[in-house]
Amino acid sequence: MRAGSTRAPHRHHHPRRTPLRALLAALLTAAIVIPLAGAARPAIPAPPPAHLATSLTPAALSSAYAANRKNAADAARMAAAHGDTRRAAADRALAAPARRLLAFDGRGHGHVIEVMGDLAHARRIAVLVPGSDTTLDTYPRFHRAAASLYTALTHRPTEGRAPENTAVAVIAWLGYDTPATVSTTVTTTTRADEAAPRLRAFVRHLRTAAPATAHLTLLCHSYGSVVCGRAAPGLAADDIALIGSPGTGADSAADLHSRARVWAARGSDDWVAHVPHIRTGLFGTGTTVGFGTDPVSAAFGARVFDAAGADHSGYFTPGSASLANLARITLGETSEVTGD
């Protein structure tokens, strides 16, 4: 299938009501009705986020990076004194001189927004929005995905490319409390509804720190695609790519009410293909279970691209078809995007 087509392969059309789908639907409901018990992790002490005296502008970026690195170093010392060596190591890594942190909050599960590249001069910017189980403790995994994309963008041949496509930045946006994969929250839009205003606000601030004409692409993985779906109306993005998505909470790409081009992909080894695409209210509680139409289906209407055999964690694997296509989308090389 050529790039720009909204058709998806037949395996995504009208899935049959198999016993497996019925079982998964029941499990989704059970995840709400019967909360899974788990031991709460003791609170890890950390300082409040650094106070930045000025708004986010190109001139203020270096001071923002320095202030957030210092905050991460303070958080590392507090976590170490608390006896949490894993968190201390994660914080300490983020405090390294080479890291460019737009934001850092070491409290609770933690938030961090990190830049790779020269944001002040970037003409192509990709913002990665993560899915479930992404916290400061697991941040290195998310950082690797962002770094993999940055390498793919910066090591592509520049011959024949427009000059504006050679200055790039990648941003790892852990700006919300992600749900746990096994939890009551992962089957609803609750966390995404909380995250959406934060993502919109971040994009507004980003527009003041980067060139005004920079092309912005959101790459939304797994539950992160629900966040992007809820944030989409009014979001100043040029492209939105949904990868390994369980759905967005919308019935179609048009229902996202975004001016952005909407893309979608799912690898053949991604378990999320077995998640039933339902959306239903639960027993008059006001809670909605499920995320609706499959984003790689023809009914949704996204531009479906090739992710080959990617599993749920494999979309940013170096050398993969999915990573190559995500780089092409970010660079605006849409005629080179390969279809599913």
Side-chain angles (χ1 to χ4, degrees), residues 238-329:
D238 300 291
D239 286 282
I240 298 174
L242 312 170
I243 47 180
S245 174
T248 63
D251 291 329
S252 67
D255 286 341
L256 295 178
H257 302 293
S258 172
R259 65 178 179 83
R261 288 176 295 195
V262 180
W263 306 78
R266 185 169 65 225
S268 60
D269 286 339
D270 190 340
W271 58 260
V272 86
H274 301 295
V275 173
H277 294 282
I278 61 171
R279 187 171 71 250
T280 183
L282 183 64
F283 306 139
T285 63
T287 298
T288 300
V289 179
F291 306 114
T293 308
D294 185 348
V296 299
S297 69
F300 190 76
R303 302 178 180 215
V304 179
F305 63 93
D306 183 23
D311 62 21
H312 195 62
S313 302
Y315 292 94
F316 295 91
T317 300
S320 65
S322 57
L323 181 62
N325 278 328
L326 291 170
R328 292 167 184 144
I329 292 168

Side-chain angles (χ1 to χ4, degrees), residues 97-110:
R99 308 300 281 264
R100 298 175 175 180
L101 308 183
L102 282 176
F104 176 84
D105 186 350
R107 300 172 299 180
H109 291 298

Side-chain angles (χ1 to χ4, degrees), residues 173-226:
W173 187 81
L174 177 52
Y176 78 110
D177 293 330
T178 67
T181 297
V182 181
S183 70
T184 61
T185 52
V186 78
T187 59
T188 77
T189 63
T190 301
R191 292 289 177 89
D193 290 333
E194 295 168 354
R198 298 180 181 181
L199 182 56
R200 288 195 202 100
F202 171 72
V203 169
R204 287 195 300 271
H205 292 311
L206 185 59
R207 290 296 188 183
T208 69
T213 58
H215 186 102
L216 178 63
T217 300
L218 262 62
L219 308 181
C220 315
H221 177 241
S222 192
Y223 190 88
S225 65
V226 187

Side-chain angles (χ1 to χ4, degrees), residues 88-171:
D91 292 343
R92 194 177 301 114
L94 287 164
R99 308 300 281 264
R100 298 175 175 180
L101 308 183
L102 282 176
F104 176 84
D105 186 350
R107 300 172 299 180
H109 291 298
H111 295 163
V112 60
I113 304 173
E114 183 175 11
V115 177
M116 293 161 209
D118 183 0
L119 181 58
H121 298 97
R123 305 308 296 268
R124 294 276 171 176
I125 301 171
V127 177
L128 275 61
V129 181
S132 59
D133 289 327
T134 310
T135 66
L136 276 184
D137 294 324
T138 63
Y139 180 77
R141 178 184 63 197
F142 183 41
H143 177 267
R144 284 193 296 272
S148 180
L149 176 65
Y150 184 70
T151 298
L153 293 172
T154 54
H155 286 71
R156 286 175 64 80
T158 58
E159 183 178 352
R161 281 170 54 188
E164 63 268 19
N165 286 356
T166 61
V168 300
V170 172
I171 299 174

Side-chain angles (χ1 to χ4, degrees), residues 7-82:
R7 293 185 61 195
H10 288 297
R11 68 174 180 272
H12 299 313
H13 292 178
H14 308 299
R16 292 178 296 172
R17 297 293 178 179
T18 63
L20 174 61
R21 286 179 56 79
L23 174 61
L24 287 169
L27 289 174
L28 282 175
T29 302
I32 299 298
V33 178
I34 310 172
L36 296 170
R41 184 177 180 184
I44 304 167
H51 176 70
L52 304 180
T54 60
S55 58
L56 195 61
T57 63
L61 285 174
S62 60
S63 60
Y65 295 156
N68 286 308
R69 285 195 301 266
K70 181 181 182 303
N71 191 269
D74 292 341
R77 285 189 289 271
M78 294 176 71
H82 184 67

